[in-house]
Amino acid sequence: MTALADDIKRWGRELGFAHIGITDTDLSQAESGHQEWVAKGFHGEMDYMAKHGTKRTRPAELVPNTIRVISARLDYLPPKTKDSWQVINNGEQAFISRYALGRDYHKVVRNKLQKLCDKIQQATQNVEYRAFTDSAPVLEVALAEKSGLGWRGKHTLLINKDHGSWFFLGEIYTNLPLPTDQSATNHCGTCTSCIDICPTKAITAPYEVDARRCISYLTIELKTSIPVELRPLIGNRVYGCDDCQLTCPWNKFAETTQEDDFHVRHGLDDISLVECFIWTEAEFKQKMAGSAIYRIGYEQWLRNIAVGLGNAPSSAEVIAALQKRINDSSELVREHIAWALTQHE
């Protein structure tokens, strides 16, 4: 099993993963924290965070016979992108979280995990496995921390001491009694940069995020109206928010991705709000095909852009773009456009 574990890590690197770690399935320490978080209602409308009960924190309940979890890290920071702060500070531009500038990570990570599973299956008998990529009740940060991939930062994302936090995680649940790796240690210290910079003060305490205030939740997970009091705080962030990662001192060690699939597509790192807003539904589907952004749909995309335009510097172009869609077929979009126009009165 030690030799197999070494092979798995080598195969993972050959497939493009930056780091592979292995842990047992004991998440008892993380379970209470997760249950408290849900009890506070911090998951908002993400019902899937609560409905699976203890399957999220007890891997063998989700996949019977699981005794080990193989965690994988895949870097995604695309090279040659427009500086994030320049985009955020330019109210006419649309800021899109760096992870969504290229191809949908679900497909990329899942494909690599399946190839790794195929190699494991060829190397040993009676293996059982199931791979996950942010697609099932899996407590991936806690598992990755136990696997030695990094520690859970105060913004609740995983941080690696040598590589920052610009990466995706994936997991393989298995029945193989592989040797486990040492858990990572925390190196956040007294730093509160991520807490201090959060535009909506969603990080309510170290290691605790109220998703209902998080811009990533508001622009991606929330399917209904964005609370009026939070709209001005969103600025021009129309899909996700990277502020807590941009300010994290550990990200000075981050490396750009080696995956071509995560490179910028359609100039999304440097695009204006107005240009995004005038796309037809057909144009949105064509440009966002294969992107994580495609998942939110055209209506939600327009809702988000309308908020960005409401926060943009007043100009004839911005007002004209909003007025052109004031009779949009979607009540949700019309409501946000009406709000945006009032910001320019």
Side-chain angles (χ1 to χ4, degrees):
M1 284 296 122
T2 298
L4 179 58
D6 291 340
D7 285 340
I8 290 171
K9 293 172 183 178
R10 176 172 55 81
W11 296 331
R13 290 192 298 272
E14 291 171 354
L15 288 167
F17 287 116
H19 193 169
I20 299 288
I22 301 169
T23 183
D24 59 33
T25 59
D26 180 11
L27 292 174
S28 54
Q29 286 187 314
E31 182 173 272
S32 58
H34 176 71
Q35 290 174 341
E36 289 173 11
W37 181 75
V38 170
K40 290 179 179 178
F42 283 178
H43 60 303
E45 294 184 11
M46 296 185 289
D47 295 337
Y48 58 85
M49 284 292 188
K51 71 178 182 180
H52 296 289
T54 54
K55 285 184 178 180
R56 187 176 295 275
T57 53
R58 301 177 189 180
E61 290 187 9
L62 180 64
V63 181
N65 301 326
T66 297
I67 61 172
R68 293 289 186 270
V69 176
I70 301 167
S71 286
R73 171 172 70 85
L74 184 62
D75 297 335
Y76 68 74
L77 188 64
K80 302 177 182 178
T81 57
K82 179 80 171 181
D83 180 79
S84 293
W85 286 124
Q86 287 186 20
V87 178
I88 292 170
N89 292 325
N90 182 346
E92 297 177 350
Q93 296 292 93
F95 181 78
I96 294 169
S97 187
R98 305 294 91 170
Y99 84 83
L101 295 176
R103 189 164 181 245
D104 189 346
Y105 69 95
H106 294 87
K107 300 174 183 177
V108 178
V109 179
R110 187 182 301 121
N111 182 50
K112 289 181 180 296
L113 287 175
Q114 186 56 55
K115 288 180 178 178
L116 182 54
C117 290
D118 292 342
K119 287 182 174 292
I120 296 170
Q121 193 167 37
Q122 292 168 8
T124 187
Q125 296 180 333
N126 302 318
V127 59
E128 298 175 19
Y129 66 84
R130 186 173 169 188
F132 300 100
T133 310
D134 195 22
S135 57
V138 174
L139 214 60
E140 63 176 15
V141 172
L143 288 166
E145 187 172 39
K146 280 175 63 72
S147 299
L149 269 58
W151 73 91
R152 188 171 182 256
K154 291 179 182 177
H155 50 20
T156 73
L157 303 174
L158 198 75
I159 303 173
N160 183 285
K161 190 175 182 180
D162 299 315
H163 302 282
S165 62
W166 302 101
F167 51 78
F168 299 121
L169 296 172
E171 300 78 34
I172 300 172
Y173 282 20
T174 183
N175 65 332
L176 295 174
L178 299 164
T180 60
D181 293 303
Q182 186 173 353
S183 297
T185 53
N186 190 302
H187 297 280
C188 280
T190 59
C191 179
T192 59
S193 294
C194 59
I195 299 173
D196 299 337
I197 205 168
C198 180
T200 56
K201 303 304 176 188
I203 308 175
T204 52
Y207 315 105
E208 181 179 82
V209 171
D210 183 348
R212 298 169 299 181
R213 298 188 63 85
C214 177
I215 293 174
S216 287
Y217 168 83
L218 294 170
T219 56
I220 301 171
E221 299 292 344
L222 182 67
K223 307 304 178 187
T224 52
S225 179
I226 295 175
V228 174
E229 67 274 15
L230 296 179
R231 294 177 194 178
L233 305 178
I234 291 174
N236 61 347
R237 301 167 185 83
V238 299
Y239 188 92
C241 177
D242 287 343
D243 287 34
C244 61
Q245 295 194 84
L246 290 168
T247 194
C248 178
W250 289 108
N251 271 326
K252 65 186 176 185
F253 300 114
E255 299 173 357
T256 53
T257 184
Q258 300 299 309
E259 290 296 324
D260 290 345
D261 279 331
F262 296 149
H263 289 199
V264 179
R265 304 168 75 186
H266 303 297
L268 291 177
D269 63 319
D270 187 16
I271 192 168
S272 74
L273 289 163
V274 170
E275 181 179 347
C276 293
F277 201 58
I278 62 176
W279 287 349
T280 64
E281 185 167 9
E283 287 175 314
F284 169 81
K285 289 182 176 179
Q286 182 268 320
K287 294 177 185 295
M288 298 297 100
S291 162
I293 301 172
Y294 190 91
R295 293 168 175 265
I296 68 170
Y298 186 56
E299 179 186 46
Q300 199 171 324
W301 172 253
L302 291 180
R303 178 202 68 178
N304 295 349
I305 305 292
V307 171
L309 288 170
N311 294 323
S314 289
S315 70
E317 183 184 31
V318 166
I319 293 171
L322 287 165
Q323 289 177 334
K324 190 173 181 180
R325 284 195 179 274
I326 194 65
N327 295 316
D328 192 272
S329 60
S330 163
E331 181 180 351
L332 180 68
V333 173
R334 292 198 304 272
E335 178 215 335
H336 288 75
I337 290 174
W339 173 85
L341 285 169
T342 63
Q343 307 309 299
H344 295 284
E345 290 177 354

